[in-house]
Amino acid sequence: KAGVTQTPRYLIKTRGQQVTLSCSPISGHRSVSWYQQTPGQGLQFLFEYFSETQRNKGNFPGRFSGRQFSNSRSEMNVSTLELGDSALYLCASSNPPSTGDGYTFGSGTRLTVV
Amino acid sequence: GQQVMQIPQYQHVQEGEDFTTYCNSSTTLSNIQWYKQRPGGHPVFLIQLVKSGEVKKQKRLTFQFGEAKKNSSLHITATQTTDVGTYFCAGNTGGFKTIFGAGTRLFVKA
């Protein structure tokens, strides 16, 4: 089966701009989570969506937002980009925890803010 | 808020030596997961532990979940160069947020 697809793979943006990242989960997975990965901070939880509803949110400013569509595809948006937003953004899809399958991560979008 | 601490941050071993990484949560976990991320790659799910005191093995890897469901460990016996990467634990308290530890980066010298 196809894995989690994230687009674009690489992105360079200027400070102050906004960006939208896309994630297509594994077929049948209804939960999509987003993480920010930086060398110094590890994997930081951004938010989790299930059936188009945001069920939980991490400690990120309001500039970070997301949504999920009826086909489970998800997007995240970062407005007014700052240099510190440069990171690898990972999307992960999953079945309910009771299945024991864990998260399947996409290859990520590497965002560089200059 | 919920925190998951993982130690050590780095570990250098000679090929053939054993390796262990430890994970501690500030709160009781409903389950804990382990992931491996190869350099330049993305995290890949290894295993999920759910029961208190649970021990699971995958070839040379042994995973343990503490009795209080607040700590966990991953032990690799006789490391190989293919074990190189960062190992993350990830704890869930039953909600819809999984918190990752900072990871342990394993270096294996041939």
Side-chain angles (χ1 to χ4, degrees):
Chain A
K1 58 183 177 181
V4 177
T5 303
Q6 288 189 248
T7 57
R9 288 294 308 277
Y10 302 92
L11 208 48
I12 299 176
K13 288 286 188 178
T14 303
R15 194 170 48 180
Q17 288 186 313
Q18 75 165 13
V19 66
T20 299
L21 312 181
S22 179
C23 171
S24 293
I26 287 178
S27 178
H29 284 190
R30 294 165 65 188
S31 172
V32 173
S33 299
W34 288 89
Y35 288 85
Q36 180 195 65
Q37 186 173 34
T38 56
Q41 298 295 320
L43 281 155
Q44 300 295 312
F45 174 77
L46 281 156
F47 22 66
E48 189 264 356
Y49 287 89
F50 181 87
S51 293
E52 302 179 66
T53 300
Q54 185 183 89
R55 296 196 295 190
N56 214 327
K57 190 176 188 303
N59 297 323
F60 279 81
R63 300 185 296 108
F64 291 80
S65 63
R67 58 178 177 169
Q68 186 180 33
F69 302 95
S70 58
N71 60 358
S72 292
R73 190 177 71 85
S74 178
E75 288 182 348
M76 69 164 280
N77 184 277
V78 188
S79 62
T80 319
L81 284 166
E82 300 177 359
L83 297 179
D85 296 333
S86 294
L88 179 66
Y89 290 88
L90 291 162
C91 163
S93 73
S94 64
N95 280 319
S98 57
T99 62
D101 295 337
Y103 289 113
T104 301
F105 282 85
S107 297
T109 294
R110 185 164 296 281
L111 171 65
T112 302
V113 182
V114 297
Chain B
Q2 179 193 355
Q3 286 189 323
V4 175
M5 309 299 292
Q6 192 173 353
I7 57 170
Q9 189 176 3
Y10 302 97
Q11 184 81 59
H12 291 257
V13 300
Q14 195 75 31
E15 189 174 25
E17 292 182 337
D18 292 356
F19 159 77
T20 305
T21 174
Y22 301 91
C23 193
N24 289 288
S25 170
S26 57
T27 56
T28 302
L29 301 170
S30 60
N31 66 69
I32 193 157
Q33 301 171 356
W34 286 90
Y35 293 80
K36 177 184 178 181
Q37 184 174 21
R38 295 180 189 274
H42 55 272
V44 174
F45 174 73
L46 295 175
I47 208 162
Q48 176 172 288
L49 305 173
V50 177
K51 300 176 183 177
S52 169
E54 189 169 14
V55 178
K56 287 189 176 180
K57 293 189 175 183
Q58 289 181 349
K59 297 183 180 178
R60 295 178 294 104
L61 277 61
T62 302
F63 305 85
Q64 292 188 319
F65 201 9
E67 293 291 338
K69 300 183 73 172
K70 284 189 172 183
N71 57 73
S72 181
S73 65
L74 158 59
H75 179 83
I76 302 178
T77 303
T79 54
Q80 300 175 358
T81 54
T82 54
D83 295 326
V84 163
T86 301
Y87 292 85
F88 292 96
C89 62
N92 186 286
T93 55
F96 307 117
K97 178 169 69 173
T98 296
I99 302 299
F100 280 74
T104 296
R105 188 162 182 184
L106 174 63
F107 299 87
V108 180
K109 186 176 180 181

